[in-house]
Amino acid sequence: FAGGCGLATQASMNGALAVPLHSPLAATAVSMAVGVVCLTITSFFSLGLVKHKPSGKPVLWWFWVAPGMIGVFFVSMGTLIGPKLGFSLYFVCIVVGQLITAVGVDHFGVLDIPKSGVTGTKITGVLIVITGAVMAVLERLSLSSSSPGTVTGLVLVSVAAGGSASVQIPITSAFTSRYGTYAHRSTLLSFAVGCVITVAIYGISVGVVDDLPKPEFKTAEWWMYVGGALGAAYVFISVHLGPRIGVALFFVSVVAGPRTNVLL
């Protein structure tokens, strides 16, 4: 629940930060950088966790980069789509993608996630969430000035972003157990890779696009910069708890957080 609250708040903060920085990508880069700083500080401590011993299974090369790439996609989509779609509907779509993908991750035991078969309870829960999402989308279509195609496209991308978050957990978790380290250090690697990717893309855009507005860091409120810390906490919690309680159950627990925050 706490992780879900942080996730909802992070997207809102990043969306607000994108305004004075004149770029969702710049806001994503700042968020990632803040996350790197926070995780670097915590990496010197065990945080009361037991360090994993190398499991002996191979650490595939893409374990090093995939979580960071997924993180960039997830955070940037929240920063870009959240304000356009509305954060309430955005998180409904995120939850749909998370739960559908998480059920599959648990069922097939992706990478080192313990297998947990599909049950009637899980299917019922997913169908309830999907039904709620469809109703929310229909309401949005009736009230929105945007075309149905635009709203539908934003919804589908949001669902994909949610699904990517479910995939990030088994990859980062597998890296943690196979390499033999702490969950927050694996999270640091993910954020560091994501930060490098985002800064590189933004740097290229600055060189290619003419008359790109300069970020106004001084005009941004201090709280807009806290999103990266909340995002780092969320990813760490997901990597630590996801394999233990099941990815699907983790996201069910997370659902209440975003729904509570966006309604406040």
Side-chain angles (χ1 to χ4, degrees), residues 84-122:
K84 294 181 178 180
L85 198 59
F87 285 104
S88 182
L89 177 55
Y90 171 72
F91 280 110
V92 169
C93 299
I94 285 291
V95 168
V96 169
Q98 287 174 335
L99 289 181
I100 292 176
T101 309
V103 169
V105 168
D106 284 344
H107 179 72
F108 294 104
V110 176
L111 294 176
D112 299 339
I113 298 294
K115 286 188 177 181
S116 177
V118 176
T119 63
T121 302
K122 289 182 179 180

Side-chain angles (χ1 to χ4, degrees), residues 2-261:
C5 288
L7 179 64
T9 306
Q10 180 207 17
S12 302
M13 288 179 172
N14 288 346
L17 182 61
V19 176
L21 299 190
H22 305 293
S23 168
L25 189 58
T28 301
V30 171
S31 179
M32 287 286 184
V34 171
V36 168
V37 172
C38 295
L39 289 166
T40 299
I41 295 173
T42 61
S43 68
F44 293 102
F45 308 94
S46 66
L47 302 183
L49 304 177
V50 177
K51 185 178 181 180
H52 287 267
K53 294 181 180 180
S55 65
K57 295 181 179 180
V59 179
L60 305 178
W61 67 267
W62 51 272
F63 284 9
W64 295 83
V65 296
M69 297 173 67
I70 292 173
V72 170
F73 174 65
F74 183 79
V75 176
S76 60
M77 289 303 98
T79 306
L80 178 64
I81 296 178
K84 294 181 178 180
L85 198 59
F87 285 104
S88 182
L89 177 55
Y90 171 72
F91 280 110
V92 169
C93 299
I94 285 291
V95 168
V96 169
Q98 287 174 335
L99 289 181
I100 292 176
T101 309
V103 169
V105 168
D106 284 344
H107 179 72
F108 294 104
V110 176
L111 294 176
D112 299 339
I113 298 294
K115 286 188 177 181
S116 177
V118 176
T119 63
T121 302
K122 289 182 179 180
I123 294 176
T124 301
V126 171
L127 290 177
I128 290 174
V129 172
I130 292 177
T131 301
V134 171
M135 294 175 64
V137 170
L138 291 177
E139 181 182 9
R140 177 68 176 181
L141 287 173
S142 65
L143 299 176
S144 177
S145 59
S146 302
S147 67
T150 299
V151 174
T152 302
L154 294 176
V155 166
L156 292 177
V157 175
S158 300
V159 172
S164 71
S166 294
V167 174
Q168 184 185 40
I169 292 178
I171 299 175
T172 309
S173 176
F175 177 87
T176 302
S177 60
R178 296 186 184 191
Y179 186 79
T181 185
Y182 294 105
H184 54 297
R185 292 181 180 174
S186 297
T187 305
L188 170 59
L189 172 64
S190 174
F191 267 73
V193 171
C195 184
V196 170
I197 293 174
T198 313
V199 170
I201 295 175
Y202 181 71
I204 293 174
S205 67
V206 170
V208 173
V209 180
D210 295 329
D211 300 326
L212 193 69
K214 293 183 178 180
E216 299 177 19
F217 294 100
K218 293 183 178 180
T219 61
E221 299 288 342
W222 66 268
W223 54 265
M224 297 180 183
Y225 293 99
V226 182
L230 297 177
Y234 167 76
V235 175
F236 160 65
I237 292 172
S238 69
V239 174
H240 180 62
L241 293 182
R244 288 168 171 76
I245 66 175
V247 180
L249 179 56
F250 170 78
F251 281 117
V252 168
S253 304
V254 164
V255 166
R259 300 306 302 151
T260 300
N261 264 25

